[in-house]
Amino acid sequence: MLYTNMEATSENMINLRVGQTGVGRVTGGDDDTLGVGETSIGSPPSPIGLRYTSDKHSKVALANINMLQKRRELCDVVLIVGSRKIFAHRVILSACSPYFHAMFTSELLEARLTEVPIRDIDEDAVDLLVNFCYTSEITIEESNVQTLLPAACLLHLQEIQDVCCEFLKQQLHPSNCLGIRAFADTHACRDLLRIADKFTQHNFQEVMEGEEFMDLPVRQLMDIISSDELNVRSEEQVFSAVMAWIKYNVTERRPYLARVLEHVRLPLLSPKFLVGTVGSDLLIKSDEACRDLVDEAKNYLLLPQERPLMQGPRTRPRKPIKTGEVLFAVGGWCSGDAIASVERFDPTTCEWRMVAPMSKRRCGVGVAVLSDLLYAVGGHDGQSYLNSVERYDPQTNQWLCEVAPTSTCRTSVGVAVLDGYLYAVGGQDGVSCLNVVERYDPQSNRWTKVASMNTRRLGVAVAVLGGFLYAVGGSDGQSPLNTVERYDPKVNKWVMMPAMSTRRKHLGCAVYNNMIYAVGGRDDCTELSSAERYNPHTNQWSPIVAMTSRRSGVSHSFLQGRLLHISYFSVYGKVNLIVHTKK
């Protein structure tokens, strides 16, 4: 019988509790004692269990649920989208979409319907999004992103909204950025709108020549040309763009002329252009408000002594980025090994992107820009010290290895450019710390030794100021240094300079406003947050406000008057950060 077979007695049950042998107390003598492996009668049993979490359960379950949907099994709702019927399960849709969760758990009529109409949305997009709910996979392409994003917004699928926006960021181009900007504004994608807006401002000279610019609504046009960040060579370009927009459909747009012209900074135009081009334009001459704007600009130009009293939005200079200015992060140390990868930060898109890697892995590498080419000097590949040099051409996205090697292997080397030569200063060769200095002539592709430093230095910072090369701090192989020396290429000699107040190795160094800034590094005991600067006029170092964090192996630079720094330190050196400005 079933019941008989399933019955279990105390005799045939497995005893899993340690010490539960069924033997009671053993008595002997005056005191009762417990036998080996026994527990006291009445003591609580020891808990036994094995907690198990499956790594594949969710994947298998999702695959099976997807198969149910494909076979239309156990489906309890049908979405009617256009002419298409999409069979689904309420619980799956509700778990993935706040929109469907609100629909199916409320008192709405749709909560009780077996067929639910979804209006004003693309049926292909809904089909893709429902499939994503069942599979966690979706392919976003140029052909579907403009329907997927609105559909994802409606269904509150935030993850798909974010992915669509990232896809559109990658497609930004002067020919389409205005359309993407408007699209982002319509669907309240704030991050995409911000990126598209910056891209439009920074590429305005190309954008203003495209078809999208001519089709701009007046409000969007004014938003763009009113920006302080508009990247133009002169205000004449803004005026020319505005007039081209007006004359593209002069009948409809002429009433907007004065409103749009308010955002052109006429006082910043040259007198010749203001009088000869702006003031003589027939559309402007026939509009009283436009004539007033021209008169305001003339007064500003003719009365320089009154300019402090005439300041306003139209007299404020724009602050465009420098053409071609990008930031490179070169080599370094990651996950226990040297790396060859190189990344490039583009201010127009505010994104880092990988470029061609170096031919060798390099940490502790010295980098500098010479004649629009990025040089990587020496370093350590994780196993050996290097004397090889390679250079990167941003135009071809290639690293070239025909550069002559340095005379000795170097890592933690200081590199700088002075008078058209590339200098390699100090470092270590795996045996000793170096005071050797040599310079590279790109015309002859040769390295030539110059006068050695007075002190051996690795982890040294190098700066160029006033036609001199400065070697700042570092380590002599035994302890950090606070000493500074200066090289004069005219006499080929190093001389000692005033020392810093703090000993620093692997510090950051940059020149700004004719002063040298030394930041962070490491002394005998710890990483440093302190900073100081050298004034050549007083020939003194003085402290400045400390950083909020201690940093060793810090690289830093100045961008629009602000000190930027990036920190990465290992036993072999640092990642190098360098600004390249194409001339």
Side-chain angles (χ1 to χ4, degrees), residues 57 70 80 164 269 294 339 353 416 430 547:
H57 171 76
K70 298 301 181 188
I80 309 297
C164 286
L269 295 171
V294 173
I339 58 176
R353 297 201 178 191
M547 297 181 291

Side-chain angles (χ1 to χ4, degrees), residues 495-517:
V495 297
M496 299 304 295
M497 302 295 290
M500 297 181 291
S501 61
T502 303
R503 295 190 293 169
R504 306 173 187 271
K505 64 178 179 179
H506 300 295
L507 67 156
C509 197
V511 174
Y512 178 66
N513 275 355
N514 202 38
M515 287 186 280
I516 299 175
Y517 286 73

